[in-house]
């Protein structure tokens, strides 16, 4: 049966309105989740490329909403950024991670920082306070940034990065290769780590350009004294090529999906059990 369609412009307008209403609903639900503290944080293992040994974990926020079900961060983080909720969410995740690792001083954790948070001049003090309150050392934590902010606000980004480094955090450049920026800034900014985006690793087996790109990033990282992570490694073949290219660290479903804190503790005992 054919659906009765509205005239094009009207239909389009209605679609936009529906989306706005939907977004508002999600934002309100997220606001509630932050008040009720029902957001969760999961941890994905990052292992040494050669030995497979656990080196660190990446903290990833999880939202299992009563109304919306398991709602992915790629969908709600942009809404949190638009609505300003990202500041509260970012501090919530940071505190949650500190609470979780306070009893695990050997565990290194990386945390994603939104570019919107980086523009907040009170951010570094807020982090320092949480570190104090939880007794966690900044050396345990790495901050992951994407390159967007480095292009749009290079001065703010650099100044804030230096502040973060001064308290003891290390810095990683996330999703490398997806932005449109020149690589010149890499030399000027204090990154400790480069994370090659999953889109390259996905193609690494079949696309010689993706493999060449990976090799180039590794060389660049070497030259700049940064370690290089391959993100999203799912197969043995991808692992093999990433190793050959000289990636130092591997993150991906091949080793583990993001895990709850309890599951991470088990995984550390013996990854083969999960
Ligand atoms: P990201 O920072 O690039 O995080 C890696 C994403 O790739 C995670 O998705 C992870 O689950 C997924 N992943 C890891 N290995 C594999 C693999 O082998 N295969 C596939 N298909 N996926 C893999 P997730 O948790 O859904 O997060 C999506 C994005 O949401 C993150 O991308 C990050 O940009 C953002 N995000 C997540 N948590 C936070 C947070 O606490 N704060 C902020 N600001 N952003 C966050
Ligand atoms: Ca990340
Ligand atoms: Ca990434
Ligand atoms: Ca990503």
């Amino acid at each position: 049966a054919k659906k009765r369609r509205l005239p094009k412009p009207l239909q389009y307008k209605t679609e936009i309105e529906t989306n706005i209403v939907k977004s508002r609903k999600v934002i309100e639900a997220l606001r509630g989740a932050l008040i009720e503290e029902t957001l969760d944080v999961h941890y994905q293992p990052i292992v040494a490329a050669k030995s497979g040994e656990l080196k660190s974990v990446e903290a990833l926020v999880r939202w299992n909403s009563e109304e919306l079900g398991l709602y992915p961060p790629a969908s709600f983080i942009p809404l949190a950024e638009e609505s300003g909720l990202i500041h509260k969410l970012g501090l919530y995740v940071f505190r949650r991670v500190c609470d979780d690792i306070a009893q695990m001083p050997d565990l290194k954790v990386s945390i994603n920082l939104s570019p919107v948070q980086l523009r907040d001049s009170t951010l570094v003090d807020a982090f320092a306070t949480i570190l104090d309150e939880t007794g966690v050392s900044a050396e345990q934590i790495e901050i992951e940034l994407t390159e967007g902010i480095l292009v749009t606000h290079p001065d703010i980004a650099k100044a804030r990065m230096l502040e973060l480094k001064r308290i003891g955090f290390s810095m990683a450049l996330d999703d490398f290769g997806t932005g449109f920026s020149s690589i010149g800034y890499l030399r000027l900014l204090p990154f400790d780590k480069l994370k090659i985006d999953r889109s390259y690793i996905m193609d690494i087996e079949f696309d010689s350009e993706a493999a060449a790109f990976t090799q180039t990033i590794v060389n660049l990282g070497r030259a700049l004294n940064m370690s290089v992570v391959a993100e999203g490694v799912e197969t043995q073949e991808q692992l093999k090529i990433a190793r050959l290219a000289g990636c130092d660290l591997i993150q991906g479903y091949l080793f583990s999906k993001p895990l709850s804190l309890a599951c991470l503790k088990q995984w550390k005992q013996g990854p083969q059990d999960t």
Side-chain angles (χ1 to χ4, degrees):
K2 223 177 162 193
K3 260 194 182 171
R4 201 161 52 88
R5 307 209 68 142
L6 293 164
K8 206 67 206 201
L10 190 58
Q11 184 193 333
Y12 182 59
K13 190 169 170 234
T14 316
E15 228 167 74
I16 292 179
E17 277 165 3
T18 316
N19 284 339
I20 292 175
V21 172
K22 243 191 235 158
S23 301
R24 276 207 203 111
K25 263 195 190 152
V26 175
I27 290 168
E28 282 327 302
L30 185 60
R31 198 187 305 280
L34 281 165
I35 292 169
E36 285 157 23
E37 309 199 341
T38 50
L39 292 179
D40 230 328
V41 176
H42 281 195
Y43 298 95
Q44 186 177 29
I46 300 173
V47 304
K50 283 191 189 136
S51 64
E53 186 193 347
L54 180 72
K55 287 296 182 184
S56 65
V57 294
E58 177 174 1
L60 295 157
V61 69
R62 289 292 176 264
W63 182 22
N64 198 349
S65 154
E66 251 170 47
E67 303 125 89
L68 304 163
L70 202 59
Y71 206 79
S75 304
F76 69 78
I77 294 289
L79 293 174
E81 290 175 334
E82 266 171 48
S83 60
L85 277 180
I86 192 69
H87 298 288
K88 204 171 172 202
L89 188 151
L91 291 179
Y92 174 90
V93 169
F94 189 87
R95 180 179 295 275
R96 186 58 185 279
V97 168
C98 288
D99 283 339
D100 284 350
I101 66 175
Q103 306 306 322
M104 306 164 85
D106 309 325
L107 186 67
K108 298 230 182 317
V109 181
S110 54
I111 300 181
N112 292 286
L113 197 69
S114 156
V116 178
Q117 287 179 276
L118 201 69
R119 292 206 295 261
D120 171 10
S121 62
T122 67
L123 176 81
V124 181
D125 279 348
F127 279 176
T129 303
I130 295 171
L131 289 175
D132 268 356
E133 287 170 1
T134 53
V136 169
S137 145
E139 278 77 21
Q140 246 181 293
I141 296 175
E142 185 159 74
I143 306 280
E144 296 193 1
L145 281 181
T146 48
E147 51 192 324
I149 177 105
L150 310 178
V151 184
T152 55
H153 299 81
D155 295 342
I156 298 179
K158 183 172 184 189
R160 196 79 74 228
M161 278 181 75
L162 289 171
E163 277 182 76
L164 289 164
K165 292 277 294 191
R166 203 177 313 124
I167 358 182
F169 296 112
S170 57
M171 306 287 309
L173 182 53
D174 200 2
D175 298 351
F176 190 76
T178 55
F180 297 96
S181 49
S182 115
I183 55 170
Y185 64 81
L186 264 188
R187 201 168 55 83
L188 306 172
L189 294 170
F191 284 108
D192 303 282
K193 201 176 272 174
L194 290 179
K195 300 187 77 174
I196 306 177
D197 192 67
R198 187 165 73 85
S199 54
Y200 292 93
I201 305 303
M202 243 160 55
D203 293 342
I204 208 173
E205 285 170 63
F206 309 107
D207 177 352
S208 60
E209 282 172 20
F213 181 87
T214 302
Q215 184 65 67
T216 304
I217 299 309
V218 171
N219 296 342
L220 184 68
R222 282 281 134 68
L224 295 170
N225 246 322
M226 300 172 187
S227 50
V228 179
V229 187
E231 290 197 280
V233 172
E234 294 184 350
T235 67
Q236 286 292 344
E237 197 56 28
Q238 290 166 352
L239 172 65
K240 199 173 132 196
I241 299 170
R243 272 181 181 151
L244 277 176
C247 291
D248 306 286
L249 297 159
I250 307 285
Q251 177 177 3
Y253 293 173
L254 178 64
F255 286 95
S256 174
K257 293 201 166 179
L259 304 168
S260 67
L261 182 68
C263 290
L264 175 71
K265 285 177 179 168
Q266 273 186 10
W267 193 88
K268 282 179 71 189
Q269 308 301 314
Q272 61 281 5
D273 300 348
T274 42

